[in-house]
Amino acid sequence: MSIATDHNKDPYGLDRNHPRVVIACRVMKTQIDGLLSEDDPIEVHYLDQNLHRTPEKMRHMIEEKIAEVADYAAHIVLGYGLCSNGVVGTRADRQEICIPRVHDCIALMLGSRQAYHDAFNARAGTYYLTAGWVAEEKDPLGTLEKEYVPKMGREDAEWGLREELKHYTHIVLIGSKGDDMARLRKRAMENADFLGMKYEEVEGSDVYFRKLLFGPYDPSDFVCVPPGEAIPQKPFLQG
């Protein structure tokens, strides 16, 4: 799969026997896979998207995957954000870990931390949808049908969903290359209609995903910790 073109200048000594290992949420699969080629020494492992709902389990699941690759990985990158503190405390005994310095995946989808901050400051009440969320049926309607209705019945489930999202005013679909926009648009608009929200679309960016896969891992965009040290919370909370 993929990495920097000049391996001699790469500080991690990547090759096919010692690749960069990316451990990422499956919601990013479309964006990440679209940037990789067979010639690149990057190995990607996707974990269940539902981990964002159980952040207390996230660190343990990530560390299990780190243990599986510990004997050969030259470098580890996490395709996660702070995710309700789910990554805090994660460590690798043998490798440096780098992780995007974001709270969630929306900044990655939009291309930068600044793009996310600008969008949030312009309108905080935005619920974002991506191809990954829709594919995994983790959009509001998918969550309603797959999780809430079986647990509490339709009437209570619909009330609960509307109450949970009552402070949102817009649903915004983030598009990216290769997406079936007609299908995604239809589903996103169904969500907006059901919840009484306004619908918009924005074009996503692969800039942050390229940095995640190929570097550089600048401190303005990534939190990196040396072998044996745990990922802290503080850098994610700083401007």
Side-chain angles (χ1 to χ4, degrees):
M1 297 179 162
S2 255
I3 187 69
T5 55
D6 189 344
H7 299 288
N8 292 326
K9 294 183 179 180
D10 190 281
Y12 303 102
L14 304 177
D15 57 42
R16 290 189 176 277
N17 293 321
H18 301 89
R20 170 169 294 134
V21 173
V22 177
I23 302 170
C25 175
R26 198 164 57 220
V27 73
M28 304 177 190
K29 182 173 172 52
T30 298
Q31 286 79 12
I32 289 176
D33 286 358
L35 295 174
L36 295 174
S37 73
E38 291 298 325
D39 297 329
D40 298 327
I42 295 181
E43 182 177 300
V44 184
H45 299 265
Y46 294 107
L47 300 184
D48 185 4
Q49 190 172 349
N50 265 341
L51 286 179
H52 78 284
R53 291 186 172 273
T54 54
E56 68 278 3
K57 298 180 181 179
M58 184 178 293
R59 177 173 65 85
H60 302 292
M61 295 295 290
I62 293 173
E63 287 184 338
E64 284 183 8
K65 186 59 65 175
I66 289 173
E68 291 178 15
V69 305
D71 288 342
Y72 63 86
H75 183 219
I76 292 175
V77 180
L78 302 186
Y80 286 91
L82 182 60
C83 294
S84 301
N85 290 322
V87 300
V88 174
T90 302
R91 73 181 71 219
D93 291 334
R94 303 184 189 180
Q95 293 88 5
E96 177 187 67
I97 301 178
C98 290
I99 178 172
R101 194 158 70 92
V102 298
H103 284 262
D104 55 43
C105 64
I106 300 304
L108 292 171
M109 302 290 181
L110 293 176
S112 70
R113 298 172 67 239
Q114 189 61 51
Y116 175 77
H117 289 316
D118 290 346
F120 181 84
N121 290 333
R123 187 176 63 222
T126 299
Y127 190 101
Y128 290 97
L129 286 179
T130 69
W133 288 107
V134 173
E136 296 283 327
E137 296 184 296
K138 302 305 180 186
D139 55 325
L141 287 177
T143 300
L144 175 71
E145 298 297 337
K146 299 293 184 179
E147 299 182 31
Y148 291 4
V149 170
K151 292 180 180 178
M152 60 186 74
R154 181 162 300 278
E155 183 176 351
D156 287 345
E158 290 189 5
W159 178 87
L161 181 69
R162 294 182 191 279
E163 186 69 13
E164 180 181 344
L165 302 178
K166 67 182 180 181
H167 297 298
Y168 291 94
T169 59
H170 291 69
I171 279 185
V172 174
L173 176 64
I174 304 175
S176 61
K177 294 179 181 179
D179 288 343
D180 180 355
M181 287 302 293
R183 178 182 62 84
L184 294 174
R185 183 179 296 115
K186 179 177 182 295
R187 180 66 172 183
M189 293 182 73
E190 288 172 353
N191 277 274
D193 289 343
F194 179 79
L195 294 165
M197 297 183 192
K198 295 180 180 179
Y199 173 75
E200 293 180 5
E201 294 178 16
V202 297
E203 184 176 352
S205 169
D206 65 8
V207 170
Y208 217 145
F209 285 108
R210 287 186 180 277
K211 292 179 181 179
L212 186 150
L213 292 172
F214 310 123
Y217 298 97
D218 189 281
S220 63
D221 288 320
F222 291 87
V223 176
C224 294
V225 295
E229 290 194 16
I231 294 173
Q233 180 197 53
K234 186 176 180 180
F236 295 92
L237 305 181
Q238 297 171 333

